[in-house]
Amino acid sequence: MTVTVETLEKLERKITLTVPVTAIQSEVDARLKKMARTVKMDGFRPGKVPMNVVAQRYGYSVQYEVLNDKVGEAFSVAANEAKVRVAGQPRISEKEGAPEGELNFEAIFEVYPEVKLGNLADTEVEKLTAEVSDAAIDKTVDILRKQRRTFAQRAQDAAAQDGDRATIDFEGKIDGEVFSGGKAEDFQFILGDGQMLKEFEDAVRGMKSGESKTFPLAFPADYHGQDVAGKTADFLVTVKKIEAANLPEVNEALAKSLGIADATVEGLRADIRKNLEREVKFRLLARNKQAAMDALVAKAELDLPQAIVQSEIERLKEGARADLKQRGIKDADKAPIPDDIFRPQAEQRVRLGLVVAEVVRGNTLHAKPEQIKAHIEELAASYERPDDVVRWYNSDNQRLAEVEAVVIESNVSDFVLAQAKVVEKAITFEELMGQQA
């Protein structure tokens, strides 16, 4: 069969399909006969319904199904014959004026683009490095101590200070009316932990048990509670109890309570260092991988198949609706979300996917079984029972596919960094972790 592929625009192509009417009718008859053996209708015994009655009831729907199947088959054969890589689903419509005994259809579709990879040799890529400092270990020890702190009630005349746990009653009003979430009794929070807005903490700091205070509080314009965002409320706060924090000592008892095998202070710090170094390694890999991918995409030239972009937009929209539903938003699955919100993200993802696929294909960077195995073992190493985690990954093909994708990305990243001009930049542990120094 000779197939003519017409180029319409960039990646868009058109193929004319021909389907014999006899092939459709033959398949319709075969399906109706098969259906007649089991179909049930009032007034007839099962399997004894006359063919003309079955055809009258089900003929149209069966013909529609067969036509779709036959046109789909014809398109698949034609695309294979023409050796085109179809991107997304074709748009198929019937043509008028077909010869007797035939049905003609036009299939308009997109093909995967040619990806032109630029020369990476003159591309500069910044590669980050970071070390786990003693200060980072000290900060982690402090966090662990805070997680295990206990509280003891302060004297009646003691003023609330940072680190104390305050138990309060409060009532907030806007324009004289209490707003949703603006009133609570026996509410507890720890001063200085950032649980409450700064103005609220500032007002409570220095108060004593039994004291009350009224103060204004201006909610930020981007406050998560949309009903009060950008508005000013008047709060009445009564302090009922103030408790001082007691942090556990850094000693063998603390190490033992944390399940450290070497239950000493040195063993505790060594365990923390090991865990932080693992986290630093993964974060550096992620940041450097992103830099490599950005450099790779920036040097590549390609057209984007809009069908695949649209599919990615729909996937992102469904993810957004699922997130809204999880947050308790009513009718989240019907929420109207404009395509343009996700179009830039979808285009970037599709572009990256096509470029990575081309680099992998052209440089044999597929994930090797031993790489997948090593990555799973590394992921499992931070868990209490690594063998169980390894089995969990290996028991599910979807999870294995996700690991394979990560390994492929790492292979591509290594390839880019080996080709490009790498400029190393040392950053602090706090910068890497997104913390304040």
Side-chain angles (χ1 to χ4, degrees):
M1 177 175 69
T2 302
V3 178
T4 302
V5 180
E6 183 181 343
T7 298
L8 301 181
E9 183 182 359
K10 290 186 178 179
L11 302 178
E12 202 168 56
R13 304 288 186 270
K14 181 170 76 174
I15 289 179
T16 298
L17 308 171
T18 300
V19 180
V21 173
T22 53
I24 295 172
Q25 192 57 51
S26 175
E27 181 63 22
V28 169
D29 292 343
R31 292 191 189 186
L32 288 174
K33 285 179 182 177
K34 185 176 180 180
M35 185 180 290
R37 297 177 197 148
T38 56
V39 72
K40 295 179 181 179
M41 286 190 191
D42 292 341
F44 299 98
R45 286 182 295 164
K48 299 297 182 180
V49 183
M51 271 298 300
N52 65 322
V53 177
V54 175
Q56 186 178 11
R57 174 73 66 88
Y58 298 105
Y60 179 80
S61 61
V62 170
Q63 188 169 22
Y64 180 79
E65 290 174 3
V66 170
L67 185 58
N68 277 343
D69 290 347
K70 290 296 182 183
V71 172
E73 289 172 11
F75 176 75
S76 179
V77 170
N80 287 335
E81 179 73 19
K83 294 181 172 59
V84 291
R85 295 176 62 222
V86 180
Q89 293 296 319
R91 305 191 308 276
I92 298 177
S93 57
E94 187 173 356
K95 288 181 65 177
E96 295 182 356
E100 187 176 350
E102 291 182 356
L103 293 175
N104 287 346
F105 296 86
E106 280 185 348
I108 297 175
F109 58 97
E110 289 181 290
V111 295
Y112 279 94
E114 177 189 359
V115 180
K116 296 179 181 178
L117 299 173
N119 183 10
L120 293 167
D122 59 350
T123 300
E124 192 173 282
V125 180
E126 188 176 78
K127 183 179 181 182
L128 302 179
T129 63
E131 300 289 339
V132 176
S133 63
D134 287 339
I137 296 174
D138 291 340
K139 186 176 289 188
T140 304
V141 170
D142 288 341
I143 292 171
L144 293 171
R145 292 175 71 203
K146 281 184 178 180
Q147 291 172 348
R148 285 156 181 78
R149 61 191 158 187
T150 56
F151 294 90
Q153 187 164 343
R154 286 189 180 276
Q156 192 74 14
D157 60 348
Q161 56 187 276
D162 282 349
D164 287 351
R165 182 168 68 185
T167 302
I168 63 173
D169 293 343
F170 67 82
E171 182 177 78
K173 294 182 179 180
I174 296 177
D175 297 329
E177 298 291 332
V178 177
F179 56 89
S180 176
K183 182 177 181 179
E185 295 181 354
D186 295 325
F187 180 83
Q188 291 186 331
F189 74 100
I190 297 171
L191 276 164
D193 272 16
Q195 180 184 349
M196 309 297 285
L197 289 173
K198 182 180 181 298
E199 291 80 357
F200 196 100
E201 288 197 349
D202 288 345
V204 174
R205 189 180 292 106
M207 291 181 69
K208 300 174 183 178
S209 296
E211 285 188 344
S212 296
K213 178 188 285 187
T214 301
F215 60 94
L217 188 149
F219 286 98
D222 59 353
Y223 190 69
H224 58 81
Q226 293 300 312
D227 293 340
V228 299
K231 298 179 181 179
T232 298
D234 292 312
F235 273 91
L236 170 63
V237 172
T238 300
V239 176
K240 302 178 80 171
K241 184 168 60 175
I242 299 170
E243 297 169 286
N246 177 40
L247 298 176
E249 294 292 328
V250 182
N251 53 24
E252 293 182 2
L254 177 62
K256 189 173 182 180
S257 71
L258 291 166
I260 306 300
D262 177 12
T264 63
V265 174
E266 293 76 15
L268 169 61
R269 293 181 68 85
D271 190 77
I272 291 172
R273 179 179 292 278
K274 179 182 176 183
N275 288 328
L276 291 181
E277 285 177 345
R278 183 185 295 114
E279 180 66 18
V280 164
K281 178 182 178 181
F282 279 120
R283 293 208 179 201
L284 286 174
L285 282 172
R287 293 275 293 271
N288 292 331
K289 182 191 294 184
Q290 186 62 53
M293 295 299 183
D294 289 345
L296 179 64
V297 170
K299 296 291 287 186
E301 295 180 18
L302 70 157
D303 292 319
L304 295 182
Q306 292 306 306
I308 299 182
V309 171
Q310 188 60 43
S311 294
E312 184 64 20
I313 289 173
E314 295 303 323
R315 198 183 70 79
L316 290 170
K317 285 165 67 174
E318 285 305 307
R321 290 191 181 100
D323 182 58
L324 292 173
K325 186 175 182 180
Q326 194 172 19
R327 296 185 188 184
I329 304 299
K330 186 179 179 182
D331 296 328
D333 54 334
K334 301 175 185 175
I337 303 176
D339 288 0
D340 288 346
I341 291 177
F342 291 113
R343 188 172 300 281
Q345 185 182 359
E347 289 181 348
Q348 180 65 13
R349 287 191 177 189
V350 171
R351 183 178 287 107
L352 177 61
L354 292 171
V355 173
V356 166
E358 180 63 24
V359 174
V360 171
R361 184 195 63 78
N363 299 278
T364 320
L365 299 177
H366 303 88
K368 298 180 177 63
E370 58 270 23
Q371 289 181 306
I372 295 173
K373 181 174 180 289
H375 188 73
I376 290 173
E377 288 174 349
E378 190 168 21
L379 291 173
S382 61
Y383 291 87
E384 190 175 340
R385 301 174 67 176
D387 290 346
D388 289 348
V389 178
V390 170
R391 279 193 291 272
W392 182 78
Y393 273 105
N394 288 326
S395 65
D396 185 273
N397 288 333
Q398 179 61 37
R399 288 192 283 264
L400 283 173
E402 290 170 0
V403 172
E404 182 181 9
V406 171
V407 171
I408 289 173
E409 287 180 356
S410 294
N411 289 346
V412 172
S413 174
D414 291 343
F415 173 81
V416 172
L417 294 174
Q419 302 290 321
K421 293 179 181 177
V422 175
V423 178
E424 289 198 358
K425 178 185 177 183
I427 61 172
T428 65
F429 175 84
E430 288 75 20
E431 287 174 316
L432 179 64
M433 305 301 284
Q435 300 170 350
Q436 295 293 325

